[in-house]
């Protein structure tokens, strides 16, 4: 698929899947002799509160220079964003021959030329046919900011063109790149960051790195699969690694995200073959069927079992169906019609027969992720009048220096013989509850810790404090930790602890409950196999 076709793919609403694309930055910028065609003004791009990895908005309005019919002169308009999110407009008129006097710095004078026809010596015709915008520019500014532009305008094979077509780039993304070159400003938005990465990848590497950093900070289980698909196309290994961290730890949430159905076939295969996915095989099978239904729709096929199997191809054989339980298989894949009759019989025999048939599906369970534990106390103790539970909260605050995923907590149990506990666990950031769960555990009366878990792993970002809280109901007397540490390192991850104002039962940094945080860490901090 051509580069321009790929770009049109991610610029449509709703976004279509990007499939089988080889990305090489080879934009066909050619000379045109006809005038520019600009679309009618459209609404500006809305800034979303959370990152939605969908597509750049189509044909956004650009702050183009426009002639003033009343005076016959040209008025140049620059757009900027104010602190409250509104758009402010300042007009620069060339009637004043001394406009430079109001701009004391080189940066200000250079910024005044951004998207300005004054002294412009090149025009870019940007966007797909029927949705183009003419964007004026200055060769000198572009050439000093990018080796690609330098070669284009001043290299040995430079051509003296007045207009250059850029059909496979969104105008909004092109303007973002020019704004960086003219104003030394990086203005990224959720709707346009992928388009900006596309245009900046090989032209302005620093801007491309800023786009990747923006995407990494916006990465969640809801957009990780789609971002993985596009990071593969953009050949961004660091972003790919971040995506895999999220997908591995929060696989169930990622597989059920809306964007999963839009990934390309190669990315689907890479997900299904991933050994470290932390979810049941039934979730992978269900996600593959959802993807197949969407793919049938893209190919104008009826979503019949036969067609779903057709579009899945060899990816179906990457699902480890024999690792399901007999009940999961009998009530799931066996009744979907995706498998042949012989495959269904063979898998049933695999579950029940002493002599098992050869199967076309992997029979080894996925390894998943190995949970790690942060121990914040050096010892524990018990006394006849401590530790008591009467509906009060034990809480501690912590921060980390790398992204990780909290799975649950380790807690102390009864110091007065075996006992059952009901516990409510909670994880908050800035007062907002990120996850909570009510569960039970049995304490055997020893000083061991007992693990309780959230329903899904919770993503924790670095350099921000989170609050871990528990409320226990059970035997009043229990063990408690002492000799607490302010800083604890586990592998490559460093934890910092501080007291929480929500702790009403005595837990703090030096002693109390919540002796352990259970987590999935970065790939390079995983414990070795024993």
């Amino acid at each position: 698929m051509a580069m321009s076709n790929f770009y049109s793919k991610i610029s449509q609403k709703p976004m279509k899947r990007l499939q089988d694309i080889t990305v090489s930055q080879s934009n066909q910028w050619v000379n045109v002799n006809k005038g520019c065609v600009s679309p009618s003004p459209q609404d500006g791009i809305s800034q979303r509160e959370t990152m939605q990895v969908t597509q750049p908005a189509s044909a956004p309005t650009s702050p183009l220079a426009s002639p003033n019919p009343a005076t016959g002169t040209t008025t140049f308009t620059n757009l900027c964003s104010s602190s409250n999110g509104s758009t402010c407009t300042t007009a620069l008129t060339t009637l004043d021959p001394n406009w430079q006097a109001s701009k004391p710095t080189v940066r200000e004078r250079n910024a005044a030329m951004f998207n300005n026809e004054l002294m412009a010596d090149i025009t870019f015709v940007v966007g797909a046919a029927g949705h183009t915008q003419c964007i004026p520019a200055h060769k000198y500014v572009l050439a000093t900011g990018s080796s690609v532009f330098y070669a284009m305008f001043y290299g040995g094979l430079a051509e003296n063109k007045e207009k250059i077509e850029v059909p496979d780039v969104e105008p909004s993304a092109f303007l973002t790149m020019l704004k960086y070159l003219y104003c030394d400003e990086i203005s990224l938005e959720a709707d346009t960051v992928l388009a900006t990465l596309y245009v900046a990848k090989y032209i302005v590497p620093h801007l491309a790195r800023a786009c990747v950093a923006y995407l990494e900070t916006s990465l969640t289980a809801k957009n990780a699969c789609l971002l993985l698909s596009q990071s593969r196309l953009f050949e961004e290994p660091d972003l790919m690694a971040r995506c895999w961290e999220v997908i591995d730890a929060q696989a169930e949430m990622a597989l059920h995200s809306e964007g999963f159905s839009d990934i390309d076939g190669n990315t689907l295969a890479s997900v299904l073959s991933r050994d470290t996915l932390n979810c049941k095989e039934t979730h992978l099978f269900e996600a593959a069927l959802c993807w197949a239904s969407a793919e049938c729709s893209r190919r104008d096929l009826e979503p019949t079992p036969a067609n779903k199997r057709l579009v899945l191809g060899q990816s179906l054989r990457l699902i480890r169906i024999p690792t399901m339980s007999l009940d999961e298989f009998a009530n799931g894949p066996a009744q979907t019609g995706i498998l042949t009759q012989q495959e269904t019989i063979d898998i049933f025999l695999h579950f029940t027969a002493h002599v098992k048939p050869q199967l076309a599906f992997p029979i080894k369970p996925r390894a998943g992720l190995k949970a790690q534990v942060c121990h914040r106390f050096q010892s524990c103790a018990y006394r006849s009048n401590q530790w008591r539970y009467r509906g009060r909260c034990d809480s501690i605050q912590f921060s980390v220096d790398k992204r990780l995923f909290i799975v649950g907590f380790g807690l102390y149990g009864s110091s007065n013989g075996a006992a059952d506990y009901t516990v409510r666990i909670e994880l908050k950031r800035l007062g907002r509850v990120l996850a909570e769960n009510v569960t039970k555990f049995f304490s055997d009366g020893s000083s061991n810790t007992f693990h309780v878990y959230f329903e899904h792993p919770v993503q924790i970002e670095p350099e921000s404090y989170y609050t871990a809280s528990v409320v226990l109901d059970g035997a009043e007397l229990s063990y408690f930790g002492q000799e607490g540490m302010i800083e604890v390192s586990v592998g490559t991850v460093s934890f910092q602890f501080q007291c929480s104002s929500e702790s009403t039962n005595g837990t703090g940094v030096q002693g109390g409950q919540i002796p352990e945080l259970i987590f999935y860490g970065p790939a390079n901090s995983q414990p070795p196999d024993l």
Side-chain angles (χ1 to χ4, degrees), residues 109-168:
R109 293 191 292 274
N110 210 45
M113 294 295 99
F114 167 60
N115 199 22
N116 194 329
E117 289 181 356
L118 180 62
M119 297 183 285
D121 52 1
I122 190 67
T123 298
F124 292 94
V125 185
V126 186
H131 295 283
T132 59
Q133 291 188 19
C134 297
I135 300 178
H138 307 78
K139 294 180 180 180
Y140 168 76
V141 176
L142 303 187
T144 57
S146 166
S147 60
V148 174
F149 282 126
Y150 177 83
M152 181 185 297
F153 300 134
Y154 302 107
L157 300 177
E159 297 182 25
N160 187 23
K161 297 180 179 180
E162 294 182 357
K163 294 178 181 177
I164 297 177
E165 282 190 346
V166 191
D168 56 349

Side-chain angles (χ1 to χ4, degrees), residues 151-396:
M152 181 185 297
F153 300 134
Y154 302 107
L157 300 177
E159 297 182 25
N160 187 23
K161 297 180 179 180
E162 294 182 357
K163 294 178 181 177
I164 297 177
E165 282 190 346
V166 191
D168 56 349
V169 171
E170 281 290 327
S172 58
F174 198 83
L175 285 167
T176 298
M177 180 183 68
L178 292 188
K179 187 174 184 180
Y180 170 71
L181 294 175
Y182 278 83
C183 311
D184 200 25
E185 295 179 13
I186 298 177
S187 302
L188 299 175
E189 295 184 353
D191 285 333
T192 57
V193 62
L194 284 170
T196 303
L197 175 59
Y198 174 84
V199 69
K201 171 72 176 176
Y202 299 103
I203 300 176
V204 189
H206 180 75
L207 178 58
R209 288 193 293 271
C211 292
V212 171
Y214 182 98
L215 291 169
E216 287 182 1
T217 59
S218 307
L219 187 59
T220 67
K222 293 181 179 180
N223 59 36
C225 290
L226 193 53
L227 269 182
L228 173 67
S229 179
Q230 300 193 13
S231 63
R232 285 162 55 90
L233 301 173
F234 289 134
E235 297 179 351
E236 288 291 345
D238 291 341
L239 182 57
M240 286 176 58
R242 293 291 189 186
C243 290
W244 279 125
E245 287 179 7
V246 174
I247 294 170
D248 282 342
Q250 298 179 309
E252 183 178 342
M253 297 170 65
L255 292 170
H256 288 99
S257 65
E258 292 184 6
F260 183 81
S261 295
D262 290 322
I263 64 177
D264 62 278
N266 290 334
T267 302
L268 173 71
S270 68
V271 171
L272 296 180
S273 61
R274 186 83 171 171
D275 190 51
T276 46
L277 292 178
N278 200 53
C279 71
K280 288 187 173 182
E281 207 66 27
T282 52
H283 295 304
L284 280 161
F285 184 80
E286 292 166 359
L289 289 190
C290 289
W291 182 92
S293 294
E295 182 67 5
C296 285
S297 178
R298 287 187 285 266
R299 299 190 190 183
D300 294 324
L301 298 173
E302 286 292 324
T304 62
N307 284 337
K308 288 180 182 180
R309 179 165 184 138
L310 173 67
V311 299
L312 281 171
Q314 291 302 310
S315 293
L316 178 64
R317 301 294 178 86
L318 299 174
I319 304 173
R320 307 184 187 189
I321 295 176
T323 66
M324 299 179 185
S325 68
L326 176 59
D327 182 69
E328 288 172 339
F329 173 71
N331 292 289
Q335 298 190 35
T336 60
I338 291 289
L339 303 178
T340 66
Q341 185 178 30
Q342 188 60 52
E343 287 171 337
T344 303
I345 293 172
D346 286 346
I347 294 175
F348 270 121
L349 290 174
H350 174 81
F351 284 118
T352 58
H354 291 295
V355 179
K356 302 182 186 300
Q358 285 288 113
L359 300 179
F361 299 89
I363 62 174
K364 181 181 178 181
R366 298 179 196 270
L369 293 178
K370 297 183 183 298
Q372 302 178 68
V373 179
C374 173
H375 306 271
R376 69 185 192 92
F377 296 127
Q378 299 181 70
S379 63
C380 68
Y382 71 91
R383 299 189 183 97
S384 60
N385 61 345
Q386 291 181 334
W387 198 267
R388 295 181 180 273
Y389 304 105
R390 295 176 179 175
R392 292 190 292 261
C393 178
D394 287 289
S395 182
I396 191 70

Side-chain angles (χ1 to χ4, degrees), residues 37-89:
V37 179
S38 296
S40 58
Q42 300 182 3
D43 292 336
I45 300 173
S46 61
Q47 173 66 47
R48 298 201 175 107
E49 188 174 1
T50 57
M51 174 65 180
Q52 298 292 326
V53 182
T54 53
Q55 68 290 313
S58 297
T61 302
S62 169
L64 296 176
S66 58
N68 186 333
T71 63
T73 62
T74 302
T75 299
F76 301 95
T77 302
N78 288 327
L79 297 183
C80 61
S81 296
S82 61
S83 59
N84 62 8
S86 62
T87 301
C88 59
T89 305

